[in-house]
């Protein structure tokens, strides 16, 4: 026998019994974003590598270690998108969306790719849904996008979710703080993990995210960014908190919150779920007021977030609902099969979910199949041209005219 294939490491198949929950999650997201005026868009699955180097940041784990990068036949370096914000901003600039009424409010969903060590809740191809409000620095936008995430979690019924909120301040105001943090890290560099030590100069904030015991100890005494915000950043953060309070969105302030992408400024947030293990974040985001200009666009403040579809599904941990159909059409004789095909087509076009036997089963086999697919009713086409309709739950059966079936099936 020929060798079998497996899905590549860190990827997975979504079999039909798991699709229903995914689709319903996406439908909920569509409803929530749509009613707040966020329009859906799509970007390609791969982009110029330089977009992520410049947009996400060369010092980040994503760009340093996790990108699926390849050369096309023309020698251009391309990368499977590891995240969605840089591509959406690239599209905003490319299509001159700054000329539209601001902010431009966008939503997206799709597959993303990171070469991470696979584990529960962490894959090499995963799916995100996200929103971006581009073209305003108003705290109203911060509160709006965070509220949308909160609504999503509530409407889906994800249990045990906590919102953590922080502020990184603006890039200029952060500079002074970063110098202070670097000198704290340098003064105790022998206690730090190699990874953090290597990045003191380029990305000292990431030290807050480390699991390394020595680094954690050092970070316990580190100066905190929230105490170093300048007055306009602090005022912005106060307003975001006030607006979230007014919208009854509960949150905790986390002065050590940082995110794995370089573009964030001011508000950052993370939704974590206590039902998940080590990978407990279901989503997060923040402001990225400098990104659009870094990508060659005009100075344009913006905010957004992304949530992991698989993490949300894991947190929901729901039994997959059994599939069901309105009707199974069984035939008592071979010559009835053509009638079954025609009738099934007619009923399907009228919106009824109908299956027929495609495997040449006996009458008994067909009745078993009707049970297996969870059909609410079975229509039996008899050899003499008559038909009977059976309610599968009660076993009640009645003679019917095939022409009346649509009416009967629709009556509940
Ligand atoms: P990020 O784009 O890094 O801010 O991540 C946003 C969300 O995407 C996270 O909170 C996760 O829910 C999800 N996510 C990120 N990386 C992965 C991964 N490798 N596998 C599964 N989900 C992920």
């Amino acid at each position: 026998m020929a060798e079998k294939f497996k899905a590549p490491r860190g990827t997975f198949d979504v079999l039909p019994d798991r699709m229903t929950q995914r689709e319903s999650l996406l439908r909920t997201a569509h409803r929530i974003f749509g009613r707040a005026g966020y329009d859906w868009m799509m970007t390609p699955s791969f982009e110029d590598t330089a977009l992520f180097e410049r947009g996400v940041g060369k010092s980040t784990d994503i760009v340093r270690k996790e990108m699926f990068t390849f050369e096309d036949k023309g020698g251009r370096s391309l990368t499977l998108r590891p995240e969605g914000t840089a591509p959406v901003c690239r599209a905003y600039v490319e299509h001159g969306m700054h000329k539209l009424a601001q902010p431009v409010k966008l939503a997206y969903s799709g597959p993303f790719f990171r070469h991470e060590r696979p584990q529960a809740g962490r894959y090499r191809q995963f799916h995100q849904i996200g929103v971006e409000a581009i073209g305003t620095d108003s705290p109203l936008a911060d509160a709006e996008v965070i509220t949308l995430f909160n609504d999503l979690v509530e409407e889906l019924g994800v249990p045990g979710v906590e919102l953590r909120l922080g502020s990184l301040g603006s890039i200029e105001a952060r500079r002074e703080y970063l110098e202070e943090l670097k000198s704290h890290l340098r003064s105790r560099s022998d206690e730090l993990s190699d990874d953090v030590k290597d990045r003191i100069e380029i990305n000292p904030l990431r030290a807050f995210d480390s699991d390394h015991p020595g680094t954690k100890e050092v970070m316990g005494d580190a100066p905190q960014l929230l105490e170093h915000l300048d007055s306009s950043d602090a005022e912005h953060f106060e307003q975001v908190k006030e607006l979230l309070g007014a919208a009854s969105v509960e949150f905790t302030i986390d002065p050590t919150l940082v995110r794995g992408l370089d573009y964030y400024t001011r508000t950052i947030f993370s939704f974590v779920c206590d039902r998940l293990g080590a990978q407990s974040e279901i989503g997060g985001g923040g402001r990225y007021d400098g990104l659009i200009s870094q990508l060659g666009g005009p100075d344009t403040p913006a905010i957004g977030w992304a949530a992991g579809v698989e993490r949300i599904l894991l947190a929901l941990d729901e039994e997959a609902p059994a599939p069901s159909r309105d009707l199974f059409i069984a035939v008592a004789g071979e010559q009835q099969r053509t009638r079954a095909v025609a009738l099934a087509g007619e009923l399907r076009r009228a919106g009824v979910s109908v299956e027929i036997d495609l495997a040449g089963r006996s009458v008994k086999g067909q009745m078993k199949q009707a049970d297996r697919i969870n059909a609410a009713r079975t229509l039996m086409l008899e050899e003499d041209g008559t038909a009977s309709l059976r309610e599968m739950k009660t076993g009640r059966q009645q003679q019917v005219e095939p022409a009346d079936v649509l009416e009967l099936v629709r009556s509940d």
Side-chain angles (χ1 to χ4, degrees):
M1 264 218 283
E3 198 190 329
K4 291 179 191 157
F5 292 103
K6 280 187 169 169
R9 189 165 142 72
T11 71
F12 52 86
D13 299 308
V14 185
L15 299 182
D17 65 334
R18 289 275 152 196
M19 279 309 289
T20 324
Q21 291 150 306
R22 244 167 220 273
E23 282 166 353
S24 114
L25 189 160
L26 283 179
R27 265 199 306 278
T28 305
H30 267 266
R31 200 173 55 238
I32 292 173
F33 303 165
R35 70 195 183 198
Y38 286 70
D39 293 323
W40 289 78
M41 69 170 289
M42 289 170 83
T43 63
S45 295
F46 54 86
E47 299 268 357
D48 283 334
T49 301
L51 170 67
F52 300 113
E53 287 173 347
R54 186 135 40 103
V56 176
K58 278 196 165 158
S59 69
T60 60
D61 280 345
I62 294 181
V63 171
R64 285 180 355 138
K65 306 187 227 167
E66 297 169 2
M67 296 205 300
F68 283 95
T69 297
F70 59 98
E71 237 181 49
D72 73 3
K73 292 193 183 354
R76 283 170 290 261
S77 180
L78 299 172
T79 292
L80 295 183
R81 60 183 184 179
E83 62 94 54
T85 300
V88 166
C89 290
R90 193 261 311 132
Y92 177 94
V93 174
E94 182 173 341
H95 302 286
M97 289 195 235
H98 62 279
K99 293 186 210 119
L100 305 174
Q102 304 293 302
V104 177
K105 300 189 294 179
L106 302 166
Y108 63 85
S109 73
F112 292 86
F113 309 86
R114 291 183 196 174
H115 198 282
E116 295 198 81
R117 196 166 47 78
Q119 61 183 88
R122 191 158 76 186
Y123 314 100
R124 290 183 175 171
Q125 174 172 343
F126 56 98
H127 297 79
Q128 288 187 337
I129 45 180
V131 300
E132 316 286 356
I134 305 177
T136 174
D137 66 0
S138 168
L140 291 167
D142 304 45
E144 179 166 287
V145 298
I146 294 172
T147 304
L148 288 181
F149 199 133
N150 200 63
D151 288 349
L152 182 69
V153 163
E154 280 186 5
E155 284 186 36
L156 291 170
V158 187
V161 175
E162 188 194 3
L163 164 59
R164 296 187 185 150
L165 192 65
S167 175
L168 294 174
S170 56
I171 292 174
E172 311 78 61
R174 199 155 66 208
R175 241 167 239 141
E176 205 175 300
Y177 165 77
L178 287 180
E179 285 315 312
E180 214 177 296
L181 178 62
K182 283 183 204 170
S183 69
H184 175 75
L185 291 171
R186 273 188 229 115
S187 72
R188 294 176 62 180
S189 67
D190 45 348
E191 297 169 60
L192 301 173
S193 72
D194 289 345
D195 205 39
V196 169
K197 210 180 328 181
D198 285 350
R199 280 193 282 176
I200 293 181
E201 300 309 320
I202 52 172
N203 198 351
L205 279 178
R206 291 301 288 171
F208 281 111
D209 234 8
S210 173
D211 291 332
H212 177 259
T215 307
K216 277 179 140 171
E217 180 98 24
V218 174
M219 296 323 283
D221 315 325
Q224 293 200 342
L225 183 47
L226 272 186
E227 284 156 19
H228 289 72
L229 296 183
D230 73 13
S231 59
S232 82
D233 294 341
E235 171 60 22
H236 191 275
F237 192 44
E238 280 311 309
Q239 288 184 38
V240 173
K241 290 191 280 186
E242 206 177 297
L243 289 163
L244 287 175
S248 306
V249 175
E250 284 179 26
F251 56 85
T252 55
I253 301 297
D254 183 350
T256 67
L257 191 63
V258 288
R259 296 199 61 73
L261 301 92
D262 273 358
Y263 48 60
Y264 287 116
T265 53
R266 291 190 156 180
T267 312
I268 50 168
F269 52 92
S270 170
F271 282 82
V272 290
C273 172
D274 62 16
R275 308 292 154 100
L276 298 176
Q279 305 304 315
S280 63
E281 190 190 87
I282 56 171
R287 272 206 163 272
Y288 47 93
D289 292 345
L291 181 57
I292 302 264
S293 64
Q294 264 178 57
L295 299 179
D299 243 334
T300 310
I303 181 159
W305 55 256
V309 170
E310 287 75 24
R311 300 257 176 102
I312 294 179
L313 292 172
L314 277 173
L316 284 172
D317 189 27
E318 277 168 0
E319 282 288 307
S324 62
R325 308 282 180 259
D326 298 328
L327 187 71
F328 184 82
I329 304 180
V331 293
E334 288 309 302
Q335 59 279 33
Q336 301 304 318
R337 292 202 186 264
T338 318
R339 262 176 88 205
V341 170
L343 186 58
E346 214 174 285
L347 291 169
R348 285 169 185 163
R349 286 188 286 274
V352 181
S353 59
V354 185
E355 287 199 52
I356 57 173
D357 172 40
L358 299 177
R361 291 184 176 85
S362 66
V363 170
K364 204 166 147 212
Q366 292 179 62
M367 295 314 287
K368 251 198 205 150
Q369 182 63 5
D371 268 336
R372 244 183 249 131
I373 65 161
N374 227 349
R377 297 186 174 89
T378 299
L379 180 73
M380 174 63 79
L381 300 180
E382 303 291 352
E383 265 177 293
D384 61 4
T386 62
S388 58
L389 189 65
R390 182 188 176 88
E391 307 266 344
M392 299 303 276
K393 232 191 236 139
T394 59
R396 237 185 38 224
Q397 198 159 320
Q398 56 174 319
Q399 285 289 117
V400 293
E401 283 300 320
D404 296 338
V405 171
L406 180 58
E407 208 51 32
L408 289 164
V409 171
R410 275 197 173 152
S411 64
D412 41 35

